Amino acid sequence: MKLKKRSVDRRMVTILMIVFVQMFGTSMVHPILPLYAQSAFNMNAQVITLLLTAFFAAQFVAGPFIGRLSDRRGRLPVLIFSQMGTVIAFLMIAFAQSAAVLFLARILDGVTGGNIVVAQAYMTDIVPEHRRTVALGYVMAAFGLGFALGPAVGGILASAFGPQIPFVFAALAAAGTVVLTHLTLEESLSHDDRQRNRRSAAARLRPTALMTNVPLMAVLSVSFFARFGMGLLIATLALFAEAVLFAGQSFSSVSLGVGVMLMMVGIGQIITQIILLPAALSHFSDTLIVLMGAAARALSMFLLALAVEPLFGTLSVVIFAVGSGLLIPPLQSLLTKTVPAELRGAILGIYHSVMSLGVILSTAIAGLLFAADPTIPNWVGGALSCISLVPGFLLWHWARKNGRMPAAQLAS
């Protein structure tokens, strides 16, 4: 029994390392891509935000297929495949000669972007249900650590060596996760599990069953509205910082400043997962913590809309990170309890597609809102976070009334 426990712990550590390295590379380019597209390709704010739309549109289409494929063929091959797509996409951005190549790279990364989906499915495979929220919190902490270090490193590299270098560095980091996965990670689904999942694939997820699963629809609704608000934030934060928080400063100063802000977001997420979320779980239910996280995100967006200098802006995004750290792990844990085990990867894929839809819509209009006034995306994001409280309250009420979340049979 001890051997088995050691094996599970080793796999968990490996998954957390993969999430960290992946997020480190991805977040490294977040402060750079909008400014890089603006300076190198003369793209305006409306077109720049569509780069995010392209990524999430591709992810929206591919997400359920990637998740279901990992149920049927195994987590490991799908994880390696998706990571290789990320490597190629970052290299395409680094050596792009036109705006069209930037869009193609973002689409490729979105199509193969099942890294986090499959990593979360892997984690739920190896962790008992009663520890799932805490385990997904660890994933969020690894996510936050990568987010803390990546933007700062990206900002430093861009200011010292130029905007292309962070993308090359990110590609190398993503390539490292491919090697790490191949050498250290073992398949979490047994042969029998995969065979069972393939047989159940003939019984597809029925839309009517999805729509009548009350807790599932509540989780997806909270995710959609929360992600819509976050999409507005991530699409315009660098532009907002340049126009308002760091107005009149140089490209390198803005890049470094945004990188430091995002580093503080990552630190906020780490503290939340290590201290705040475990403390909250010892006193409150998952559904109540979801409400607390959504409320904190709403507050942060409103504060950011009022910010006119870097310190206040940084405080706002740190509160956003705390809210996200409280919201996302229990929400994902609740999600996995609404379906049978053989549909876990598929439902996580649908969950990420719903979130992608929120980002698709938000990034499609973010540039227009920003062009009207730099603060409008933040005001709208705060309002949408408030709206997410409605399905969050319904989820809390349903859980109190009905008790344990059902593993609803979505397949016939």
Side-chain angles (χ1 to χ4, degrees):
M1 181 63 91
K2 288 184 179 177
L3 235 102
K4 186 176 180 183
K5 184 177 188 297
R6 248 192 323 266
S7 175
V8 169
D9 288 343
R10 178 179 59 79
R11 292 182 295 173
M12 182 184 293
V13 169
T14 302
I15 280 290
L16 295 179
M17 290 177 66
I18 290 170
V19 172
F20 163 72
V21 174
Q22 175 64 30
M23 198 57 216
F24 176 81
T26 301
S27 66
M28 198 186 322
V29 306
H30 270 258
I32 309 303
L33 183 58
L35 303 175
Y36 173 54
Q38 186 179 60
S39 61
F41 299 99
N42 200 30
M43 295 166 63
N44 59 35
Q46 291 93 324
V47 178
I48 289 171
T49 55
L50 290 178
L51 285 171
L52 283 174
T53 305
F55 171 82
F56 286 106
Q59 195 172 71
F60 169 72
V61 173
F65 296 100
I66 293 291
R68 193 63 180 138
L69 187 64
S70 76
D71 286 332
R72 298 169 63 184
R73 301 297 177 184
R75 312 297 189 208
L76 194 56
V78 177
L79 190 57
I80 291 174
F81 167 76
S82 63
Q83 290 170 321
M84 289 176 65
T86 298
V87 173
I88 296 170
F90 280 143
L91 290 175
M92 288 175 66
I93 294 174
F95 299 105
Q97 297 297 311
S98 68
V101 175
L102 292 185
F103 277 97
L104 286 174
R106 299 305 289 156
I107 291 170
L108 173 63
D109 200 15
V111 168
T112 61
N115 315 42
I116 304 300
V117 176
V118 181
Q120 289 170 339
Y122 192 106
M123 186 66 83
T124 61
D125 290 340
I126 65 174
V127 173
E129 183 178 307
H130 68 279
R131 293 185 57 228
R132 197 168 290 164
T133 300
V134 172
L136 290 169
Y138 293 156
V139 172
M140 193 75 179
F143 188 98
L145 183 59
F147 206 86
L149 299 178
V153 173
I156 292 169
L157 289 175
S159 62
F161 303 107
Q164 289 93 348
I165 297 303
F167 299 102
V168 175
F169 200 93
L172 293 174
T177 67
V178 177
V179 177
L180 180 67
T181 302
H182 177 70
L183 293 178
T184 64
L185 205 60
E186 60 191 48
E187 179 57 54
S188 64
L189 296 178
S190 68
H191 176 74
D192 290 341
D193 289 335
R194 296 194 296 273
Q195 290 286 4
R196 184 192 68 237
N197 293 349
R198 287 172 193 168
R199 287 194 297 270
S200 76
R204 298 179 180 179
L205 291 171
R206 294 180 290 114
T208 54
L210 285 169
M211 298 295 292
T212 55
N213 187 323
V214 174
L216 174 60
M217 291 307 297
V219 169
L220 294 179
S221 296
V222 173
S223 303
F224 173 77
F225 288 114
R227 193 66 170 181
F228 198 115
M230 183 175 181
L232 294 174
L233 176 65
I234 62 177
T236 61
L237 180 60
L239 300 173
F240 178 77
E242 182 186 43
V244 178
L245 301 180
F246 299 94
Q249 298 190 30
S250 66
F251 172 86
S252 59
S253 297
V254 175
S255 297
L256 184 60
V258 174
V260 171
M261 286 180 66
L262 294 178
M263 179 184 70
M264 295 305 297
V265 169
I267 292 173
Q269 288 183 349
I270 295 168
I271 292 173
T272 301
Q273 302 312 317
I274 294 175
I275 300 174
L276 299 182
L277 182 61
L281 286 169
S282 66
H283 294 92
F284 308 110
S285 66
D286 279 357
T287 51
L288 188 56
I289 296 172
V290 165
L291 288 173
M292 294 164 59
R297 281 169 59 127
L299 173 64
S300 70
M301 293 293 287
F302 291 139
L303 290 176
L304 185 60
L306 297 171
V308 293
E309 49 86 25
L311 185 60
F312 194 36
T314 301
L315 174 62
S316 303
V317 295
V318 168
I319 295 173
F320 186 90
V322 171
S324 298
L326 293 175
L327 174 70
I328 295 174
L331 199 62
Q332 292 174 340
S333 179
L334 291 167
L335 175 79
T336 62
K337 297 172 186 177
T338 64
V339 297
E342 61 266 25
L343 295 176
R344 199 173 289 153
I347 206 63
L348 281 166
I350 290 174
Y351 164 79
H352 280 272
S353 284
V354 168
M355 293 199 302
S356 295
L357 179 61
V359 177
I360 291 166
L361 298 176
S362 60
T363 54
I365 66 170
L368 296 173
L369 296 176
F370 181 87
D373 188 296
T375 66
I376 289 179
N378 300 326
W379 288 115
V380 174
L384 289 168
S385 294
C386 290
I387 292 174
S388 74
L389 290 167
V390 176
F393 176 79
L394 294 176
L395 181 64
W396 172 78
H397 179 72
W398 191 96
R400 285 196 64 189
K401 183 179 178 181
N402 297 278
R404 189 176 172 80
M405 302 288 282
Q409 295 294 331
L410 299 183
S412 58

